[in-house]
Amino acid sequence: MSKMLKVAVPNKGILSEFAVQMLDEAGYAVRKDSKTLRVLDSANNIEFFYLRPRDIATYVGTGALDLGLTGLDLLADSGSNAVKVADLNFGNSTFRLAGEAGKFKQLSDVNGKRVATSYPELLKNFLDKEGISATIVKLDGAVETAVSLGVADLVADVVSSGNTLRQAGLEIFGPVILESSAYLIANASSIDSASSLLRRINGVIVAREYVIFDYDCPTTLIEEASKVTPGIESPTISPTKDSEWLAVRALVKRSETNEKMDALYELGARAILVSAIHAARI
Ligand code: AMP
């Protein structure tokens, strides 16, 4: 039997919830109670370790664990040499500068100021690269409060909807420092061991991102219809009892469902049915 794979999973925060849901959908054993630190999935020969999101890149980078699910921002801040394996398509965010409304316009306005952040390495690397000299005030979280309490002049933080910063009276300015999302990470010697986990995770991503289109298409319009629904590789085209009609099946991005249904209908396709994918291996 091959070596047991050791995988790090975030134990709290926004990434934890989505990571656990993804592993569950991929058919792996997940913890049922937030106090559990280790879950042995003997059927799949994997042991899952629930760790602080911030520590995951360190455990994986040192080789103590083989793989991990974590945010790109946390990986960048950790200084770990863990490597990215695949984008997990959740936890999308940007790392941005923000200051009191109207006070900051451009990056050079940061010179000589105090910047509060929970991502000091990520910020330092960015400021160094841009040739900006500022004082970094390291905080554990909720950095948006630092400005009103006078601990810093501005902040650098993870932004999703932007509500948190807005509510604190802060306004985003300057360039996007990092576009982040959750990633599967590995270390140089464990990348190859990621393949089975990755295949299952990709199945979950496809099942979430795509729907199945089934429709009937006049034989004469099949080329046009195939352009509307090209599928991932190619649509499946089957005969029907009526030689003037063909039956078509193709994967379509969930976000394009209605525009594709309209386009097919306008073209002359009928009986257009859309179904969700329960599970997939592509
Ligand atoms: P927002 O939606 O911009 O109000 O985000 C709320 C807070 O949640 C932010 O200040 C972040 O600290 C945190 N947050 C949102 N999205 C993420 C994410 N993808 N990764 C880590 N933290 C996040």
Side-chain angles (χ1 to χ4, degrees), residues 46-252:
I46 302 188
E47 195 168 13
F48 294 99
F49 294 79
Y50 286 76
L51 298 165
R52 304 254 319 190
R54 191 160 273 286
D55 298 336
I56 287 178
T58 306
Y59 280 103
V60 174
T62 57
L65 300 179
D66 302 304
L67 304 171
L69 286 74
T70 193
L72 209 54
D73 42 15
L74 291 171
L75 173 64
D77 197 56
S78 70
S80 149
N81 55 12
V83 292
K84 297 186 280 182
V85 178
D87 190 344
L88 299 176
N89 280 25
F90 64 82
N92 294 68
S93 61
T94 53
F95 190 68
R96 304 294 305 261
L97 296 163
E100 275 181 84
K103 274 206 176 166
F104 296 87
K105 297 240 166 340
Q106 56 206 22
L107 187 55
S108 56
D109 298 342
V110 176
N111 264 314
K113 298 288 193 298
R114 299 164 303 162
V115 194
T117 191
S118 314
Y119 297 79
E121 281 303 310
L122 174 54
L123 178 61
K124 183 178 182 305
N125 291 339
F126 171 74
L127 293 177
D128 286 352
K129 184 169 71 84
E130 297 292 334
I132 305 284
S133 157
T135 306
I136 296 176
V137 180
K138 184 176 180 285
L139 294 174
D140 204 32
V143 299
E144 63 279 356
T145 321
V147 175
S148 62
L149 291 181
V151 170
D153 305 304
L154 70 153
V155 304
D157 200 12
V158 172
V159 182
S160 175
S161 66
N163 286 338
T164 306
L165 293 177
R166 252 191 310 278
Q167 275 163 16
L170 302 176
E171 201 175 72
I172 291 165
F173 71 96
V176 174
I177 299 175
L178 182 75
E179 298 251 16
S180 183
S181 62
Y183 263 74
L184 179 66
I185 61 165
N187 60 67
S189 61
S190 67
I191 293 180
D192 292 345
S193 66
S195 60
S196 61
L197 184 79
L198 193 56
R199 206 175 314 122
R200 284 201 185 191
I201 284 177
N202 278 335
V204 174
I205 293 172
V206 168
R208 285 178 180 178
E209 202 179 345
Y210 289 88
V211 290
I212 301 170
F213 264 48
D214 284 292
Y215 58 92
D216 292 341
C217 177
T219 309
T220 52
L221 297 173
I222 194 64
E223 286 307 319
E224 287 297 300
S226 299
K227 284 184 198 143
V228 179
T229 60
I232 293 182
E233 295 286 339
S234 114
T236 304
I237 298 168
S238 321
T240 68
K241 202 154 173 296
D242 180 342
S243 64
E244 292 184 0
W245 289 82
L246 292 167
V248 186
R249 166 165 271 212
L251 293 184
V252 172

Side-chain angles (χ1 to χ4, degrees), residues 244-261:
E244 292 184 0
W245 289 82
L246 292 167
V248 186
R249 166 165 271 212
L251 293 184
V252 172
K253 283 216 163 137
R254 186 181 290 275
S255 59
E256 297 172 354
T257 302
N258 280 297
E259 63 175 270
K260 296 280 185 186
M261 286 177 90

